[in-house]
């Protein structure tokens, strides 16, 4: 569904006279193929190019070299831009910056209204979208009193009302408390499983990437790792080179294993950890 072919993008900084002060190659020859219905987490240190990558998926930015295709449509072709933007919606970091209307209903209607969706269809789209994120009952209320997690769910509904095939979450949980983070991640997984929406989840929290189908790791504008969570998190030393850490429980199990404890190669959750301990105990390997 999404195809990057040697895509590159540079930001050019200029001083007041317009002289070039510096060039950042924020996307550096990226080639990657994301299939329809995949749940892909994107990890990388600050400034590694994650947001620039995300903005190429919905045509907010277009590559200076190479190509990006969404559903076969070349994002560099201006005639495709409206379609590309409608296909891939974005949920950003700050919930407050994304709320613009007086009622939740109006807020969710904003995107599709701009797309020219007829008002007869609008009501249904808004209701469906709010239903899917569990906020239909709040429809006529003001968004201002909602929690951070609820505000992000309103933002998700706004994207859903445009009937996207793909939703990109650009650190959409970064400003939320743990409960809010769980709400947003649960919504992302549900939309992926129930509605087959392709999810690109950019996050700083390793634990949020554990349940993805696939993880991409970015460093200096390049995709440097691409694999399942188990493949990626079984390489804590390589991740450290990119200023990333594995989830706490994974690190703990990894250290135990290095110290000679009977642990499988990569533990991703507390449940897996408990199971490994239980199995080792049953096999009598913990009695020494
Ligand atoms: P991330 O989302 O992983 O933090 P970004 O894609 O935002 O990374 O940024 C990648 C690089 O491009 C960084 O070095 C950043 O400083 C630079 N950059 C991002 N946006 C701009 C901009 N508008 N102008 C100049 N440089 C930018
Ligand atoms: Mg970013």
């Amino acid at each position: 569904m999404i195809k990057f072919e040697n895509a590159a993008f540079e930001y050019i900084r200029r001083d007041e006279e317009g002289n070039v002060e510096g060039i950042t190659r924020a996307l550096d020859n990226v080639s990657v193929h994301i299939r329809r219905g995949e749940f892909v987490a994107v990890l990388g240190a600050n400034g590694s190019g994650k947001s620039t990558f995300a903005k190429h998926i919905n045509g907010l930015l277009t590559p200076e070299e190479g190509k990006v295709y969404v559903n076969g449509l070349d994002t560099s072709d201006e005639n495709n831009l409206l379609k590309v933007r409608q296909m891939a919606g974005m949920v950003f970091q700050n919930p407050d910056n994304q709320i613009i209307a007086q009622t939740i209903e109006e807020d969710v209607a904003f995107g599709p209204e701009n797309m020219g969706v007829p008002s007869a269809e609008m009501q249904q789209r808004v209701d469906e979208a709010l239903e899917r994120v569990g906020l239909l009952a709040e429809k006529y209320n003001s968004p201002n009193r909602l929690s951070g997690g609820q505000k992000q769910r309103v933002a998700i509904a706004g994207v859903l009302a445009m009937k996207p095939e793909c939703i990109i979450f650009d650190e959409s949980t970064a400003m939320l408390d743990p409960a809010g983070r769980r709400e947003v991640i649960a919504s992302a997984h549900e939309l992926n499983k129930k509605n087959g929406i392709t999810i690109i989840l950019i996050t700083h929290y390793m634990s949020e990437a554990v349940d993805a189908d696939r993880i991409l790791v970015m460093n200096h504008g390049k995709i440097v790792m691409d694999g399942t969570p188990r493949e990626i998190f079984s390489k804590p030393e390589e991740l450290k080179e990119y200023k990333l850490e594995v989830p706490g429980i994974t690190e703990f199990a990894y250290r135990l294993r290095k110290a000679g404890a009977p642990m499988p190669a990569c533990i991703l959750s507390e449940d897996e950890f408990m199971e490994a301990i239980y199995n080792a105990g049953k096999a009598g390997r913990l009695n020494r």
Side-chain angles (χ1 to χ4, degrees), residues 11-13 24-26 44-53 55 170-171 202:
Y11 294 104
I12 299 172
R13 283 186 312 280
T24 307
R25 203 166 166 87
N46 257 336
S48 58
K50 304 181 299 294
S51 293
T52 306
F53 175 70
K55 286 173 185 160
D170 191 355
E171 303 206 28
I202 298 173

XYZ file of all heavy atoms in Angstrom, residues 11-13 24-26 44-53 55 170-171 202, ligand 1:
179
model
N 16.194 19.323 4.568
C 15.787 20.650 5.042
C 16.987 21.570 4.879
O 18.100 21.218 5.268
C 15.417 20.620 6.528
C 14.188 19.807 6.856
C 14.290 18.551 7.433
C 12.904 20.314 6.603
C 13.166 17.809 7.759
C 11.773 19.583 6.927
C 11.908 18.332 7.509
O 10.796 17.610 7.829
N 16.745 22.719 4.318
C 17.830 23.682 4.135
C 17.583 24.876 5.053
O 16.512 25.484 5.017
C 17.905 24.130 2.658
C 18.197 22.899 1.800
C 18.960 25.210 2.476
C 18.122 23.143 0.322
N 18.531 25.136 5.927
C 18.417 26.306 6.809
C 19.183 27.469 6.207
O 20.323 27.319 5.764
C 19.005 25.982 8.194
C 18.096 25.131 9.065
C 18.686 24.984 10.469
N 20.101 24.604 10.430
C 20.551 23.371 10.236
N 19.691 22.395 10.056
N 21.842 23.106 10.232
N 20.114 19.473 6.389
C 19.879 18.217 7.109
C 19.200 17.241 6.163
O 18.125 17.527 5.638
C 18.942 18.436 8.311
O 19.467 19.495 9.108
C 18.824 17.182 9.147
N 19.843 16.106 5.939
C 19.226 15.074 5.108
C 18.330 14.236 6.015
O 18.776 13.284 6.651
C 20.314 14.232 4.454
C 19.863 13.535 3.197
C 21.070 12.995 2.427
N 20.681 12.057 1.411
C 20.333 12.379 0.170
N 20.316 13.640 -0.196
N 19.994 11.449 -0.699
N 17.075 14.659 6.120
C 16.166 14.056 7.102
C 15.608 12.716 6.634
O 15.195 11.888 7.446
C 15.027 15.018 7.412
N 12.900 5.581 16.881
C 14.121 6.309 16.525
C 14.302 7.460 17.484
O 13.324 7.997 18.012
N 15.567 7.843 17.718
C 15.859 8.941 18.637
C 15.279 10.243 18.077
O 14.878 10.305 16.909
C 17.373 9.063 18.812
N 15.259 11.264 18.910
C 14.845 12.602 18.461
C 15.658 13.033 17.257
O 16.881 12.917 17.267
C 15.109 13.612 19.586
C 13.824 13.962 20.282
O 12.744 13.843 19.699
N 13.934 14.403 21.525
N 14.993 13.533 16.238
C 15.714 14.053 15.079
C 16.151 12.982 14.098
O 16.873 13.272 13.146
N 15.695 11.729 14.287
C 16.138 10.663 13.384
C 15.369 10.642 12.068
O 15.727 9.910 11.146
C 16.023 9.302 14.087
O 14.692 9.069 14.508
N 14.296 11.444 11.982
C 13.585 11.549 10.714
C 12.193 10.928 10.705
O 11.552 10.840 9.648
N 11.690 10.561 11.868
C 10.393 9.874 11.925
C 9.247 10.741 11.400
O 8.425 10.281 10.614
C 10.082 9.435 13.375
C 11.153 8.563 13.998
C 10.797 8.138 15.411
C 10.629 9.282 16.398
N 11.870 10.046 16.677
N 9.193 12.001 11.856
C 8.091 12.866 11.409
C 8.208 13.179 9.923
O 7.197 13.266 9.220
C 8.072 14.170 12.212
O 7.749 13.903 13.558
N 9.431 13.331 9.458
C 9.635 13.592 8.032
C 9.154 12.392 7.212
O 8.480 12.552 6.189
C 11.128 13.881 7.757
O 11.546 14.939 8.622
C 11.355 14.274 6.312
N 9.460 11.203 7.690
C 8.988 9.961 7.057
C 7.457 9.956 7.024
O 6.845 9.743 5.976
C 9.530 8.774 7.857
C 9.055 7.418 7.411
C 9.486 6.883 6.206
C 8.186 6.665 8.204
C 9.057 5.622 5.793
C 7.759 5.407 7.803
C 8.195 4.884 6.591
N 5.326 12.422 7.229
C 4.746 13.452 6.364
C 4.835 13.086 4.884
O 4.109 13.652 4.063
C 5.424 14.792 6.624
C 4.984 15.414 7.949
C 5.783 16.654 8.275
C 5.411 17.182 9.660
N 6.477 18.067 10.182
N 1.707 10.217 15.037
C 3.051 10.780 15.216
C 3.243 11.183 16.679
O 2.942 12.301 17.068
C 3.301 11.955 14.283
C 4.780 12.354 14.277
O 5.559 11.776 15.055
O 5.150 13.246 13.487
N 3.742 10.257 17.460
C 3.943 10.448 18.907
C 2.674 10.965 19.584
O 2.709 11.842 20.440
C 5.125 11.382 19.162
C 6.387 10.834 18.510
C 7.671 11.277 19.177
O 7.644 11.542 20.386
O 8.695 11.330 18.487
N 4.249 5.974 15.402
C 5.557 6.520 15.757
C 5.552 6.748 17.260
O 4.645 7.397 17.779
C 5.794 7.846 15.018
C 5.803 7.591 13.519
C 7.088 8.502 15.482
C 5.869 8.840 12.685
P 11.952 13.048 14.479
O 10.491 13.141 14.194
O 12.494 11.655 14.443
O 12.325 13.746 15.750
P 12.227 14.918 12.266
O 11.733 14.240 11.031
O 11.335 15.891 12.913
O 12.738 13.811 13.299
O 13.590 15.678 11.933
C 14.670 15.067 11.242
C 15.789 16.099 11.110
O 15.361 17.182 10.304
C 16.249 16.693 12.428
O 17.637 16.878 12.372
C 15.526 18.025 12.479
O 16.271 18.962 13.209
C 15.450 18.413 11.022
N 14.241 19.193 10.742
C 12.965 18.804 10.953
N 12.089 19.753 10.573
C 12.834 20.783 10.101
C 12.516 22.066 9.553
N 11.260 22.457 9.388
N 13.557 22.862 9.172
C 14.829 22.447 9.317
N 15.196 21.255 9.822
C 14.221 20.427 10.218
